[in-house]
């Protein structure tokens, strides 16, 4: 019952920044969901980038710590990912995920269509 739409992707040079947004809609109480950003690069499996629980607890993949920040604005039904100091290896399709709680498997949650991030000189 949750629809997710990602936006904000694009082409940036190494060292640049992007801010991704995920807008949620549908018959759901957004503030109760654990939200996350995941990415999938060509030839690789989908992997966690960052997640945030309903009470604001965050979790980051080691390769983005200190560079990326996840946040949510429950009143606006959005979750964002601020990406700084981007590297070519960050190139991937970034997906937004919603699940009813942190104990629910990510695969059992809802997914957006993804937004392309390309980091290249």
């Amino acid at each position: 019952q949750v629809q997710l739409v990602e936006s904000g992707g694009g082409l940036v040079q190494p060292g640049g920044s992007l801010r991704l947004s995920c807008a949620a809609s549908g018959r759901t109480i957004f503030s109760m969901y654990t939200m996350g950003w995941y990415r999938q690069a060509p030839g690789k499996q989908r992997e966690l980038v960052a997640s945030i629980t309903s009470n604001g607890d965050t979790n980051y993949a080691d390769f983005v710590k200190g560079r990326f920040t996840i946040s949510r604005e429950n009143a606006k039904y959005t979750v964002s990912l601020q990406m700084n100091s981007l590297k070519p290896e960050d190139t991937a399709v970034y997906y937004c995920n919603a699940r009813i709680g942190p104990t629910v498997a990510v695969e059992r949650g809802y997914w957006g269509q993804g937004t392309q991030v390309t980091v290249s000189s």
Side-chain angles (χ1 to χ4, degrees), residues 43-55:
K44 296 184 178 180
Q45 293 187 337
R46 186 169 55 200
E47 62 184 353
L48 168 73
V49 177
S51 65
I52 184 168
T53 67
S54 61
N55 61 0

Side-chain angles (χ1 to χ4, degrees), residues 11-17 67 84-91 118-121:
L11 173 65
V12 296
Q13 294 184 338
S17 298
R67 299 191 298 127
N84 300 323
S85 302
L86 284 162
K87 305 174 181 179
E89 51 262 45
D90 293 320
T91 296
T118 302
V119 184
S120 177
S121 60

Side-chain angles (χ1 to χ4, degrees), residues 7-103:
S7 62
L11 173 65
V12 296
Q13 294 184 338
S17 298
L18 282 175
R19 185 176 180 86
L20 306 183
S21 294
C22 173
S25 62
R27 304 183 70 175
T28 182
I29 302 177
F30 179 79
S31 61
M32 296 183 66
Y33 280 78
T34 293
M35 305 296 297
W37 286 97
Y38 298 76
R39 71 187 188 187
Q40 186 167 25
K44 296 184 178 180
Q45 293 187 337
R46 186 169 55 200
E47 62 184 353
L48 168 73
V49 177
S51 65
I52 184 168
T53 67
S54 61
N55 61 0
D57 293 332
T58 58
N59 184 43
Y60 295 94
D62 288 340
F63 56 81
V64 303
K65 287 183 178 178
R67 299 191 298 127
F68 294 5
T69 302
I70 189 172
S71 61
R72 66 192 300 162
E73 297 182 345
N74 291 333
K76 298 181 179 180
Y77 287 68
T78 60
V79 61
S80 299
L81 183 69
Q82 178 66 46
M83 305 186 294
N84 300 323
S85 302
L86 284 162
K87 305 174 181 179
E89 51 262 45
D90 293 320
T91 296
V93 177
Y94 284 70
Y95 298 92
C96 182
N97 174 270
R99 48 188 172 133
I100 199 64
T103 61

